[in-house]
Amino acid sequence: MSTVDDNTTKSIASGCKPLIAGNPTFSSITQRITEIVELEVKKTPKAWFIAFSITSTMTMIMSAMIGWLLWEGTGVWGLQNPAGWGWAIVNFVFWVGIGHAGTLISAILFLFRQKWRTSINRFAEAMTIFAVICAGMFPGIHVGRAWVAYWMFPLPNQMSMWPNFRSPLLWDVFAVGTYFTVSCLFWYVGLIPDLATLRDRATNKIRKIIYGIFSLGWRGGNRQWQHYEKAYLILAGIATPLVLSVHTVVSFDFAVGVVPGWHTTIFPPYFVAGAIFSGFAMVMTLAVIARKIYNLEDFITLNHLECMNKIMLVTGTMVGYAYACEFFIAWYGGNIYEQSIFINRAKGPYSWAYWTMVTCNVIVPQLFWFKKFRRNVPWMFVASILINVGMWFERFVITVTSLSQDFLPSSWDYFVPTIFDIGIFIGSFGLFLTLFLLFLRFLPMIAIAEVKGVIPQADPHYYEHHDEEKH
Amino acid sequence: MSDKDKKIDGIIAEFSNPYELLKSAEKVRDAGYRKFDCHSPFPVHGLDAAMGLKPSKLGWFVAIGGATGGAVAILMQWWMSAVDYKVVTSGKPLFSFQAFVPITFELTILFSAFTVVFGMLIFNLLPRFNHPVFNSERFKKATDDSFFISLMANDPQFNSEKVKDFLKSIGGEHVEELIADE
């Protein structure tokens, strides 16, 4: 044996911890993941039906409320002078942010060759798409006359008018639209080989036809894999700057305005870090529940969860730094309006929201410095929910504190949400979770082909080593 | 030569693991066959070289697609705001290209993404639902845990008996003729 072989042997024998626990084989991976999708309707877990009935009810209530909103106008919300942007914008930024983790996992971690991503990328990408659907809804209904929402697009019209391309709000239309489209394409490309697996296992005709059509006749030939892998790499390469640009453009909605507390150059990186932070928290919340209900602890191991906690620690700390930096610049910049808005954030009428935000986003993730907390499932579940509460409040603080106390003290007012603000926000969770539950039921929630590719048996050298042992 | 009226579309053989597949692919390549493919449930590293495939040219097409997207975005914004509907906003020039950067960037990405996906499908000749390999019942395992080499009848060297013997000699199991159902 040469030294090179020795090294290979060592890395295989001792190796790092296996990515997938429980000594999986190719067929056991196929079996474990597809059986969830292949269950007969009658055998669907009860918990799924209960959850689905709750989330779809929430969605229905939201739809009714949106109906009333469209009939009556945006006055049914707590919007007033001067806070003309309320929860709709807060929710929009919140949901777009949630989506960012999915693309980070599927694209950026792919470029960095982080193989642990294969266990979570599929449902993180699904989460992205559903979150962006929820996000896209809010600006749509916030325009008031939703039936002319198509004016946001540069479409020829009888008024011979074109949109204003210098407006960050229009940039947003393009950024979020592109983001949604690319996320769908990326997700679908990843699904093709797994849909082929479902097609080949299908026993009933309807399933055979549907999975057959959507798998496009995939046959796993290397002449196909070659282009497929190239396509996947390029998609990851273009999705990476895209995801960074999307929340950058979202932050321009604020930063390009002259309102104190918004008009700062730190917004783009600050928003991107916050988006990834909240998105990872949402992936964590969903992953902890899904792995428990579907017994997927071998696929989504404690090591995977620990990696995610590390990312939350990093991004949470970046967000904390951004909060501190904003205060520093408010003082150092010498602008009295800027200073007053920041003092008001910490000590004014919305200080309860500000300190909720700081506690959830800055203090909670700091516990992840300790391994004990990083590997404690109940704690990380609670932390992930707290982080999303905090991240929602971050957007609330940014939007509402700056608007309700603007340059003219005589126009100051206190923003109070109405039942329609609250109902539509809660209902958006219903929509998100309804879509997610349907995804869990009908599509493989873990990328089968990708997981097979990261187990040791997938590497041709694995067998070389075993041959030598026999001789 | 085989029976003419049987019309064999190709031959497939099964291999037990990625290593066998890789080694056999090299032997098929060295024997001079061209119209063959190696099927696996996940991409196997090293197969491109083992099969003698040239690198995918998809990237070049994506570069063209992306450049088109960027050009369309710039032209659209220039024509709409500086030619067809001239409105001065915030005292900026009509063609204020700095403000047009975000949309140009987004459309570059959008066009690239469409080129990637549709380009990949075109390169792979997909969707195609009637490929001869689907006539093999065993081939269903190609998306589960098995590895196959398929050798198509349109290969200039194709001779079904010789190919069957050859695939057996390099370790192929369940060597099977692909015959279309009538």
Side-chain angles (χ1 to χ4, degrees), chain A residues 402-449:
Chain A
S402 283
L403 283 177
S404 61
Q405 296 169 327
D406 64 354
F407 299 100
L408 266 183
S410 60
S411 64
W412 289 7
D413 206 348
Y414 188 79
F415 177 88
V416 182
T418 64
I419 185 78
F420 291 94
D421 283 296
I422 300 165
I424 293 175
F425 175 53
I426 294 174
S428 68
F429 274 93
L431 174 63
F432 174 75
L433 293 171
T434 303
L435 293 168
F436 201 78
L437 284 166
L438 288 171
F439 157 72
L440 290 182
R441 184 64 190 82
F442 294 109
L443 289 169
M445 73 175 97
I446 289 176
I448 306 171

Side-chain angles (χ1 to χ4, degrees), chain A residues 218-353:
Chain A
W218 179 259
R219 41 185 201 276
N222 192 54
R223 286 174 199 274
Q224 296 184 322
W225 278 122
Q226 189 200 18
H227 298 299
Y228 177 91
E229 284 201 284
K230 186 67 149 195
Y232 203 86
L233 177 69
I234 300 174
L235 273 180
I238 61 177
T240 299
L242 172 65
V243 68
L244 299 179
S245 85
V246 173
H247 231 57
T248 300
V249 170
V250 169
S251 81
F252 285 163
D253 292 347
F254 298 92
V256 174
V258 292
V259 177
W262 290 3
H263 194 57
T264 95
T265 48
I266 199 180
F267 261 35
Y270 161 33
F271 267 51
V272 171
I276 290 165
F277 183 47
S278 66
F280 261 87
M282 185 59 95
V283 176
M284 180 62 83
T285 312
L286 297 173
V288 167
I289 299 172
R291 80 196 270 273
K292 187 85 199 156
I293 289 180
Y294 291 105
N295 300 315
L296 291 171
E297 279 97 344
D298 284 347
F299 288 91
I300 307 169
T301 64
L302 217 45
N303 297 331
H304 290 98
L305 300 179
E306 191 183 352
C307 287
M308 287 158 70
N309 287 332
K310 285 178 183 168
I311 293 186
M312 283 200 263
L313 172 60
V314 172
T315 48
T317 311
M318 284 158 80
V319 166
Y321 170 76
Y323 296 161
C325 199
E326 276 187 319
F327 265 85
F328 173 75
I329 293 295
W331 166 73
Y332 187 70
N335 179 327
I336 52 162
Y337 299 102
E338 193 82 6
Q339 283 169 4
S340 99
I341 206 80
F342 277 95
I343 291 167
N344 255 328
R345 276 186 189 177
K347 289 163 64 178
Y350 297 100
S351 59
W352 58 275

Side-chain angles (χ1 to χ4, degrees), chain A residues 14-28:
Chain A
S14 63
C16 4
K17 284 173 235 158
L19 284 167
I20 310 297
N23 293 320
T25 62
F26 297 132
S27 64
S28 78

Side-chain angles (χ1 to χ4, degrees), chain A residues 26-28 30-31 154-155 159-167 170-171 174-179 181-182 185-186 188-189 192-193 196-202 208 212-232 234-235 237-239 241-242 245-246 249 252 448-450 452-453 457-461 463-464 467, chain B residues 16-20 22-23 33-45 47-48 51 53-59 62 76-77 79-82 84-85 87-90 92-96 98-100 102-103 105-107 109-110 112-114 116-118 120-121 123-129 131 133-134 139-147:
Chain A
F26 297 132
S27 64
S28 78
T30 316
Q31 179 62 28
L155 297 170
M159 302 166 290
S160 340
M161 283 164 71
W162 294 116
N164 176 11
F165 290 103
R166 294 174 200 90
S167 164
L170 190 68
W171 303 346
F174 280 85
V176 176
T178 302
Y179 185 45
T181 314
V182 173
L185 289 173
F186 204 2
Y188 181 61
V189 166
I192 293 172
T197 302
L198 287 168
R199 168 200 69 198
D200 289 347
R201 291 171 56 91
K208 212 172 255 181
I213 290 172
F214 285 102
S215 60
L216 305 175
W218 179 259
R219 41 185 201 276
N222 192 54
R223 286 174 199 274
Q224 296 184 322
W225 278 122
Q226 189 200 18
H227 298 299
Y228 177 91
E229 284 201 284
K230 186 67 149 195
Y232 203 86
I234 300 174
L235 273 180
I238 61 177
L242 172 65
S245 85
V246 173
V249 170
F252 285 163
I448 306 171
E450 287 194 44
K452 283 176 189 166
Q457 295 97 302
D459 185 358
H461 296 300
Y463 302 89
E464 259 169 13
D467 280 352
Chain B
S16 55
N17 63 48
Y19 177 70
E20 298 292 324
L22 194 72
K23 292 293 153 202
Y33 291 104
R34 289 288 166 267
K35 304 283 182 193
F36 74 104
D37 206 347
C38 300
H39 306 264
S40 54
F42 52 88
V44 174
H45 290 283
L47 257 184
D48 293 356
M51 289 173 67
L53 299 182
K54 288 186 198 121
S56 172
K57 289 194 179 66
L58 186 58
V62 178
M76 175 183 77
Q77 295 178 87
W79 184 75
M80 288 179 185
S81 20
D84 194 49
Y85 185 62
V87 176
V88 177
T89 15
S90 331
K92 300 286 190 299
L94 290 173
F95 182 68
S96 42
Q98 297 90 338
F100 298 163
I103 290 178
F105 174 79
E106 301 300 341
L107 287 188
I109 299 279
L110 186 67
S112 307
F114 275 114
V116 173
V117 176
F118 290 105
M120 184 269 282
L121 294 179
F123 273 107
N124 283 341
L125 302 174
L126 290 176
R128 175 178 178 185
F129 299 105
H131 197 272
V133 288
F134 292 133
F139 187 74
K140 288 189 169 164
K141 280 162 69 73
T143 56
D144 178 12
D145 64 346
S146 209
F147 303 84

Side-chain angles (χ1 to χ4, degrees), chain B residues 164-181:
Chain B
K164 273 192 264 180
D165 291 341
F166 171 67
L167 286 174
K168 277 178 197 155
S169 74
I170 60 173
E173 290 163 63
H174 306 285
V175 176
E176 198 182 325
E177 294 171 344
L178 300 172
I179 299 163
D181 313 322

